[in-house]
């Protein structure tokens, strides 16, 4: 129990808890809802060729490795030599150092994750939508329902069981924020906003060799989940 007490009284306890919850809830808010919206909108597409092209282009980023994704972010957002900085330089605008800003770290991590996984995470909702009986849509069309009304009255109610199951599973992993990307994007300047429980466990356990202390922290995280 002394290792738990050491963590609870540590100066890193509240910062790691706050940063982990901030990134996790931020990610749940957008990373969970946007795939549902994408699936519903994609289900409304009638042109099958465009629909397949749209699905493939949204799925592809999922297969980019975490290391490559972090490298892309560093290359694009570098304030001196990044792609965005060079584009802004044309208009005599200065690129802010987003990667070094602890306040923007959560947004950087969450929105890059949303872009990478939104298409892949929408697959299960598209599968649920494809199982809906088409006679519901035929009856609604005969009654003069618009596409928006079909979404509100047919798609969302019949998607609700799938959404609830996925939400329960997502909340069960709430504190398991993507460790690899956070660690790769960390630097001494943004550490106050990027140090989460997983990265702290890694540094304490594998870099400082405090195995008992790091095990207690990780067990605390698992119990909360």
């Amino acid at each position: 129990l002394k290792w738990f007490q050491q963590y609870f009284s540590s100066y890193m306890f509240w910062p790691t808890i706050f940063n982990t919850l901030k990134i996790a809830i931020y990610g749940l808010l957008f990373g969970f809802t946007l795939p549902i919206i994408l699936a519903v909108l994609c289900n409304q597409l009638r042109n099958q060729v465009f629909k397949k092209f749209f699905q493939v282009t949204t799925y592809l980023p999922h297969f980019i490795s975490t290391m490559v994704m972090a490298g892309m972010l560093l290359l694009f957002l570098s304030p001196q030599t990044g792609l965005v900085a060079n584009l802004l330089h044309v208009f005599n605008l200065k690129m802010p150092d987003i990667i070094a800003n602890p306040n923007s770290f959560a947004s950087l991590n969450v929105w890059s994750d949303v872009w990478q996984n939104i298409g892949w995470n929408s697959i299960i909702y598209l599968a649920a939508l494809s199982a809906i009986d088409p006679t519901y849509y035929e009856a609604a069309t005969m009654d003069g329902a618009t596409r928006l009304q079909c979404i509100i009255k047919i798609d969302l109610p019949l998607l609700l069981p799938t959404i609830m199951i996925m939400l329960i599973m997502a909340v069960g992993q709430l504190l398991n924020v993507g460790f690899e990307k956070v660690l790769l994007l960390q630097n001494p300047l943004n550490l106050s906003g990027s140090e989460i429980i997983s990265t702290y466990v890694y540094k304490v356990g594998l870099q400082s060799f405090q195995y008992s202390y790091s095990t207690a922290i990780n067990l605390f995280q698992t119990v909360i989940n």
Side-chain angles (χ1 to χ4, degrees):
L1 293 176
K2 72 174 183 176
W3 302 115
F4 290 98
Q5 185 179 4
Q6 181 178 333
Y7 178 53
F8 297 151
S9 59
S10 167
Y11 74 97
M12 287 301 297
F13 175 71
W14 287 114
T16 53
I17 293 291
F18 176 76
N19 290 335
T20 303
L21 287 176
K22 179 182 178 181
I23 295 173
I25 295 172
Y26 191 176
L28 183 66
L29 183 63
F30 293 100
F32 181 77
T33 55
L34 290 180
I36 299 171
I37 296 172
L38 180 70
V40 170
L41 293 177
C42 188
N43 188 57
Q44 294 298 316
L45 295 175
R46 295 292 175 259
N47 188 319
Q48 292 301 314
V49 175
F50 178 75
K51 184 176 181 179
K52 290 181 183 298
F53 174 77
F54 180 76
Q55 287 177 303
V56 169
T57 52
T58 54
Y59 296 165
L60 283 177
H62 174 76
F63 300 99
I64 300 173
S65 71
T66 305
M67 177 69 77
V68 173
M69 175 59 68
M72 288 169 60
L73 291 172
L74 294 173
L75 286 171
F76 292 160
L77 301 177
S78 172
Q80 285 83 30
T81 60
L83 177 65
V84 178
N86 286 326
L87 290 174
L88 291 176
H89 182 69
V90 175
F91 302 99
N92 294 321
L93 297 173
K94 187 178 180 182
M95 171 75 178
D97 196 351
I98 298 173
I99 297 174
N101 186 354
N103 296 322
S104 63
F105 185 85
S107 297
L108 179 66
N109 184 78
V110 168
W111 285 108
S112 61
D113 192 62
V114 167
W115 173 76
Q116 187 175 9
N117 296 307
I118 185 171
W120 183 261
N121 292 340
S122 68
I123 291 176
I124 191 164
Y125 302 111
L126 281 168
L129 287 169
S130 66
I132 295 175
D133 191 340
T135 56
Y136 290 137
Y137 298 107
E138 293 169 5
T141 303
M142 290 179 65
D143 288 339
T146 63
R147 286 193 179 187
L148 181 60
Q149 288 173 325
C150 287
I151 291 172
I152 295 172
K153 298 292 185 180
I154 300 174
D155 291 347
L156 293 179
L158 294 176
L159 264 183
L160 195 59
T162 304
I163 292 172
M164 293 307 298
I165 291 171
M166 297 302 295
L167 179 62
I168 291 169
M169 293 174 67
V171 171
Q173 299 293 319
L174 189 64
L175 295 184
N176 291 346
V177 178
F179 160 78
E180 296 89 353
K181 188 192 291 184
V182 172
L183 187 67
L184 290 168
L185 293 176
Q186 268 186 359
N187 59 58
L189 295 175
N190 67 21
L191 198 61
S192 62
S194 64
E195 189 75 288
I196 59 174
I197 296 175
S198 300
T199 56
Y200 187 57
V201 167
Y202 166 73
K203 292 172 183 176
V204 168
L206 295 180
Q207 292 185 345
S208 301
F209 307 108
Q210 301 180 52
Y211 300 121
S212 298
Y213 183 39
S214 63
T215 302
I217 299 171
N218 197 54
L219 180 59
F220 164 75
Q221 179 182 6
T222 305
V223 169
I224 294 298
N225 276 336

